[in-house]
Amino acid sequence: MLGNFSYHNPTKLYFGEESLGFLKQELANYGKNVLVVYGGGSIKKNGLYQEIMEILKGCGKNVAEVSGVMPNPTADKLREGVRIARENNSDFILAVGGGSVCDYSKAVSVSVNCDDDPWDKYYIRFEEPQCDIIPVGCVLTMAGTGSEMNGGAVITNHEQHLKIGHVFGDNVMPRFSILNPKYTMTLPVYQMVAGIYDIMNHICEQYFSGQDDNTSDYISEGLMKGLIHASRIAVKDPQDYEARSNIMWTATWALNTLISRGKSTDWMVHMLGQAVGAYTDATHGMTLAAVSLPYYRYIMPYGVKKFARFATQVWDIPSQGKTDEQLAQQGLDAMENWMKELGLVMKISELGATEEMIEGIADATIILNGGYKVLDRDEVVKILKASM
Amino acid sequence: MLGNFSYHNPTKLYFGEESLGFLKQELANYGKNVLVVYGGGSIKKNGLYQEIMEILKGCGKNVAEVSGVMPNPTADKLREGVRIARENNSDFILAVGGGSVCDYSKAVSVSVNCDDDPWDKYYIRFEEPQCDIIPVGCVLTMAGTGSEMNGGAVITNHEQHLKIGHVFGDNVMPRFSILNPKYTMTLPVYQMVAGIYDIMNHICEQYFSGQDDNTSDYISEGLMKGLIHASRIAVKDPQDYEARSNIMWTATWALNTLISRGKSTDWMVHMLGQAVGAYTDATHGMTLAAVSLPYYRYIMPYGVKKFARFATQVWDIPSQGKTDEQLAQQGLDAMENWMKELGLVMKISELGATEEMIEGIADATIILNGGYKVLDRDEVVKILKASM
């Protein structure tokens, strides 16, 4: 059943090879002091940085920069961004990069006008912003997180071994996002497939929860089928624009709140993966891939009907003469085969996790209660060991 | 391939049995002079009118009314609404009803501050509004048109035998819509199934076009599967809240621009159905139902691959050992069986169309070029005759 909910997603999206052409008209709606946020500098190599700087200058903007935003942006880096934004009286933030850059920019946007330490306020005490929020726009260069059309922002604190996401409201969502699939095509295949699994898992986290029959799950099945199809093409030919554009668009809709409307959701794979990430600093999508099957095989008996539906509706496995358990098993086997076909990392040990870290990772795992089985700490340890 | 496109849908949605509770907070964002628009008065019988009036009074609003908006709102009625809105200096329009009331309210909203005749300006000359647009909010009582989250407004001119839709931009979309599935449950079954077919056809119009592989078609398949499933439950038990809520939510996403992003679309069934409606004043969804199969069977050879995909992905027809033609045929047969199961009207003669009207209906049919076959006038006549 669809429960009570609201839906509001005001982000304006420009999609396609010509989408950067809309940046100029969007910038006209915002202030003069622009803070440009980006990562390790790949945008300087491929020319995107120069192109954007020219557009900004053409609009008469004063430009400040935060560069070097890392794949798992840290609390310290967040504090640095807040400082630079304050020093430059930034009234607009332009994120140019992947989900980390976009997450980071949103975390800065809710912190600049707020006196508290942002890590303590948003990630330890989980408060909501009361201060003015600086508007954020995004030029996306990697498909995966969906950060371009949601209010989420994940930040990592290495000293505390914590990697935590805060999902803010629609006032923190990017005002606009520019999605050009071409920008994703210079990415290494490792990052591409990690992004693809991130997308798949976003859908699974929202799909594998609840017994009710609802529209959201049907949309999720469509998105998963499209993603699986496109990913098989992209992994053979990363330059296939059709496949890359479908992957990019699916990423946006996998995590912009639509497919969770009116239903419960799980998110335990992300809790496990983020705890692994806090210890290893590994690529986000790979941490999810490495813990997924041990987790899903463990909870499957508690949600066997949904896993059987997953098998028939997503993986086209014929149901005739099979029990729900058999189907559920075959669905997860099909997912495993697909994951290996993409070349995903299937063990957390390959990401740098060691036996000695297991207890710490278990401590860092936030246990949620939306899935088919609420785990206890022993079960978390068991799943982490099975992921080694 | 996903082409270049933009997506922006700012409508805020409140869904569920408690959704009317959000009206008060939304009204606070708009002006004092509210124009309440509704239809034949069923909202007075079920108490919704009284409930809304109390909320409006509690907010200190000045209320004017346009009642008697008909299922196919006319150009004359539109002019009446514009006059009433001007006389009352209305600065907000609250539509309470189904798609017709919502369409009508949007047509009024773009006409109040404009000197031209709205029919001539928007429906004959197809101009865009240059004047100030009055914001519209919506309390929806029928699922089908998707008008609650789009910029479309269909108006009928009986003297000219024309029923025409104008799709306005995102500034004309309702600012908010309140969707309570309970409100749809007092509707006669005839109207419910007409609405269900309207939803199905909105998806088909966007699905049956183009040869490319794209995310939009995968989402469409999910929406169709969910709709077919829920409709079978609802037609047996119209009081099934789960089914009615899924139908209502599917209606919104079937026509809020999402599933047409990056692809071509058809809309010829609507052109044929609207021309039938201009002559017969029949229920919109039934006019679509009555022309659909003759149209799809006629164009099927020109888009056989997509129709074969429709069979396997939407109707779960096994593909083994079958040609695309056979699959395509079986998919349309499955749709026909489902339509009969719902009790839809399958002939335009049952809606009041006569042999003598055929030439006139063909003249009133606007021919579009997004489908698998661009029809000529003789083909339109042929399809209309096959629909008798």
Side-chain angles (χ1 to χ4, degrees):
Chain A
M1 197 185 91
L2 283 167
N4 289 288
F5 63 85
S6 65
Y7 176 89
H8 184 221
N9 198 320
T11 303
K12 202 181 280 188
L13 300 170
Y14 298 97
F15 192 99
E17 295 186 66
E18 291 156 22
S19 50
L20 192 62
F22 294 93
L23 180 57
K24 194 179 158 184
Q25 73 183 50
E26 279 298 330
L27 287 171
N29 302 323
Y30 303 98
K32 264 201 126 37
N33 300 324
V34 176
L35 182 67
V36 177
V37 175
Y38 56 99
S42 64
I43 60 165
K44 288 192 175 167
K45 282 177 213 138
N46 64 22
L48 181 57
Y49 173 86
Q50 290 78 357
E51 221 177 323
I52 286 173
M53 284 300 158
E54 248 171 62
I55 295 170
L56 286 162
K57 266 171 216 159
C59 299
K61 303 286 186 181
N62 306 318
V63 176
E65 297 187 24
V66 176
S67 65
V69 175
M70 53 291 273
N72 294 311
T74 64
D76 283 342
K77 187 73 184 173
L78 170 55
R79 294 180 191 114
E80 179 197 325
V82 171
R83 186 178 47 74
I84 295 175
R86 284 176 184 162
E87 285 167 6
N88 291 279
N89 292 315
S90 302
D91 43 25
F92 183 72
I93 300 177
L94 186 64
V96 186
S100 302
V101 169
C102 199
D103 274 31
Y104 175 85
S105 298
K106 286 182 270 181
V108 172
S109 80
V110 293
S111 305
V112 175
N113 297 312
C114 136
D115 292 332
D116 290 349
D117 179 73
W119 172 258
D120 291 342
K121 181 179 173 70
Y122 297 122
Y123 296 91
I124 298 297
R125 300 200 306 271
F126 257 82
E127 292 174 15
E128 295 307 321
Q130 291 85 24
C131 54
D132 281 349
I133 298 159
I134 299 181
V136 172
C138 171
V139 179
L140 196 68
T141 63
M142 183 178 165
T145 71
S147 191
E148 65 275 15
M149 204 189 187
N150 67 38
V154 181
I155 296 294
T156 299
N157 187 317
H158 286 301
E159 299 76 51
Q160 296 178 19
H161 283 309
L162 291 173
K163 179 177 173 180
I164 295 174
H166 189 132
V167 180
F168 296 97
D170 51 28
N171 50 351
V172 183
M173 292 176 182
R175 303 304 177 92
F176 65 86
S177 286
I178 288 171
L179 280 65
N180 182 342
K182 285 265 173 194
Y183 298 155
T184 72
M185 286 162 80
T186 51
L187 217 62
V189 170
Y190 186 89
Q191 299 300 332
M192 177 188 80
V193 296
I196 290 169
Y197 191 76
D198 194 19
I199 303 166
M200 182 68 174
N201 191 252
H202 289 159
I203 307 174
C204 287
E205 297 274 30
Q206 297 167 87
Y207 181 76
F208 287 121
S209 178
Q211 310 294 341
D212 292 313
D213 171 40
N214 60 66
T215 306
S216 295
D217 287 339
Y218 283 98
I219 299 173
S220 289
E221 286 164 353
L223 288 172
M224 284 191 274
K225 290 190 90 154
L227 178 66
I228 293 161
H229 177 75
S231 70
R232 287 183 160 140
I233 297 168
V235 80
K236 280 193 200 114
D237 178 11
Q239 299 308 307
D240 187 298
Y241 182 85
E242 180 165 285
R244 298 302 289 269
S245 63
N246 286 325
I247 290 166
M248 193 170 207
W249 191 229
T250 302
T252 302
W253 289 89
L255 196 56
N256 67 2
T257 82
L258 173 63
I259 61 171
S260 66
R261 292 309 86 185
K263 70 180 305 266
S264 59
T265 56
D266 184 355
W267 293 105
M268 265 320 292
V269 170
H270 270 68
M271 295 305 105
L272 291 158
Q274 285 176 190
V276 171
Y279 272 77
T280 61
D281 208 27
T283 299
H284 174 66
M286 292 306 188
T287 65
L288 304 178
V291 301
S292 278
L293 282 165
Y295 174 70
Y296 286 130
R297 292 198 196 281
Y298 185 78
I299 66 158
M300 184 263 274
Y302 303 93
V304 68
K305 275 200 179 306
K306 194 59 163 284
F307 283 93
R309 174 174 163 169
F310 178 64
T312 60
Q313 298 303 304
V314 177
W315 299 99
D316 288 328
I317 293 169
S319 62
Q320 228 184 353
K322 290 174 197 159
T323 64
D324 278 350
E325 285 73 14
Q326 288 169 325
L327 278 171
Q329 197 64 58
Q330 290 181 10
L332 290 176
D333 290 349
M335 182 155 92
E336 181 169 358
N337 290 337
W338 168 73
M339 290 171 74
K340 288 178 176 166
E341 201 180 319
L342 292 193
L344 292 164
V345 177
M346 307 295 277
K347 290 171 188 299
I348 59 173
S349 50
E350 291 175 31
L351 297 170
T354 62
E355 288 288 349
E356 294 70 45
M357 290 180 187
I358 296 284
E359 293 295 326
I361 296 173
D363 287 337
T365 301
I366 298 167
I367 293 178
L368 303 174
N369 61 7
Y372 290 121
K373 167 80 176 79
V374 180
L375 302 181
D376 60 32
R377 196 181 174 285
D378 288 349
E379 291 170 315
V380 169
V381 170
K382 200 169 157 181
I383 289 163
L384 290 170
K385 285 188 173 166
S387 309
M388 285 295 288
Chain B
M1 197 184 90
L2 284 167
N4 289 288
F5 63 86
S6 65
Y7 175 90
H8 184 222
N9 198 321
T11 303
K12 201 182 280 188
L13 300 169
Y14 298 98
F15 193 99
E17 295 187 65
E18 291 155 22
S19 50
L20 193 63
F22 295 93
L23 180 57
K24 194 179 158 183
Q25 73 183 50
E26 279 298 330
L27 287 171
N29 302 324
Y30 303 98
K32 263 202 127 36
N33 300 325
V34 176
L35 182 68
V36 177
V37 175
Y38 56 99
S42 63
I43 59 165
K44 288 191 173 168
K45 282 178 212 137
N46 64 22
L48 181 57
Y49 173 86
Q50 291 78 359
E51 221 176 322
I52 286 173
M53 284 299 158
E54 248 170 62
I55 295 169
L56 286 163
K57 265 170 216 160
C59 298
K61 303 288 185 182
N62 306 318
V63 176
E65 297 185 24
V66 176
S67 65
V69 176
M70 54 291 272
N72 293 312
T74 63
D76 283 343
K77 188 74 184 173
L78 170 56
R79 293 179 191 116
E80 179 197 324
V82 171
R83 186 176 49 72
I84 295 174
R86 285 176 184 164
E87 285 168 5
N88 292 277
N89 292 314
S90 302
D91 43 25
F92 182 73
I93 301 177
L94 186 65
V96 186
S100 303
V101 169
C102 199
D103 274 31
Y104 175 84
S105 298
K106 285 182 271 182
V108 172
S109 81
V110 293
S111 305
V112 174
N113 297 313
C114 136
D115 291 332
D116 289 349
D117 179 73
W119 172 260
D120 290 342
K121 180 179 174 68
Y122 298 122
Y123 297 91
I124 298 298
R125 300 199 307 270
F126 257 82
E127 292 174 15
E128 295 307 321
Q130 293 84 23
C131 54
D132 281 350
I133 297 159
I134 299 180
V136 172
C138 170
V139 179
L140 196 68
T141 63
M142 184 177 164
T145 70
S147 190
E148 65 275 16
M149 203 188 187
N150 67 38
V154 180
I155 297 293
T156 298
N157 187 317
H158 285 300
E159 298 76 51
Q160 296 177 18
H161 283 307
L162 290 173
K163 179 178 174 180
I164 295 175
H166 189 133
V167 181
F168 297 96
D170 52 26
N171 51 351
V172 182
M173 292 177 182
R175 303 303 177 93
F176 65 86
S177 287
I178 288 171
L179 280 64
N180 182 343
K182 286 265 174 195
Y183 298 155
T184 71
M185 287 163 80
T186 51
L187 216 63
V189 170
Y190 185 89
Q191 298 301 332
M192 177 188 80
V193 297
I196 290 169
Y197 191 75
D198 194 19
I199 303 166
M200 183 68 175
N201 190 252
H202 289 160
I203 307 173
C204 287
E205 297 273 30
Q206 297 167 88
Y207 182 75
F208 286 120
S209 178
Q211 310 294 342
D212 292 312
D213 173 40
N214 60 65
T215 305
S216 295
D217 287 339
Y218 283 98
I219 299 174
S220 290
E221 286 164 352
L223 288 172
M224 285 192 273
K225 289 189 91 154
L227 178 67
I228 293 161
H229 178 75
S231 70
R232 286 183 160 139
I233 297 167
V235 80
K236 280 193 200 113
D237 178 10
Q239 298 308 306
D240 188 297
Y241 182 85
E242 181 166 285
R244 297 303 289 270
S245 62
N246 286 324
I247 291 166
M248 194 171 207
W249 192 227
T250 303
T252 302
W253 288 89
L255 195 56
N256 66 3
T257 81
L258 173 63
I259 60 171
S260 66
R261 290 310 85 184
K263 70 181 303 268
S264 59
T265 56
D266 184 355
W267 294 105
M268 264 320 292
V269 170
H270 271 66
M271 295 304 105
L272 290 158
Q274 285 176 191
V276 172
Y279 271 77
T280 61
D281 208 27
T283 300
H284 174 67
M286 292 306 187
T287 65
L288 304 178
V291 301
S292 278
L293 283 165
Y295 174 70
Y296 286 129
R297 291 198 196 283
Y298 186 77
I299 65 158
M300 186 263 273
Y302 304 92
V304 67
K305 274 200 180 307
K306 194 60 163 284
F307 282 93
R309 175 174 163 169
F310 178 62
T312 60
Q313 297 304 304
V314 177
W315 298 100
D316 288 328
I317 293 170
S319 62
Q320 229 184 352
K322 291 173 195 160
T323 64
D324 279 350
E325 284 74 13
Q326 288 169 324
L327 278 171
Q329 197 64 58
Q330 290 180 9
L332 290 176
D333 290 348
M335 182 156 92
E336 181 169 359
N337 290 338
W338 169 73
M339 291 171 75
K340 288 179 176 165
E341 203 180 318
L342 292 193
L344 292 164
V345 176
M346 307 294 278
K347 289 172 188 297
I348 60 172
S349 50
E350 290 176 30
L351 297 170
T354 61
E355 288 288 349
E356 294 70 45
M357 290 179 187
I358 296 284
E359 293 295 327
I361 296 173
D363 286 337
T365 300
I366 299 167
I367 293 178
L368 304 175
N369 60 6
Y372 289 121
K373 167 81 177 77
V374 181
L375 302 181
D376 60 33
R377 197 181 173 285
D378 288 349
E379 291 170 313
V380 169
V381 170
K382 200 170 157 180
I383 289 164
L384 289 170
K385 284 188 176 168
S387 308
M388 285 295 288

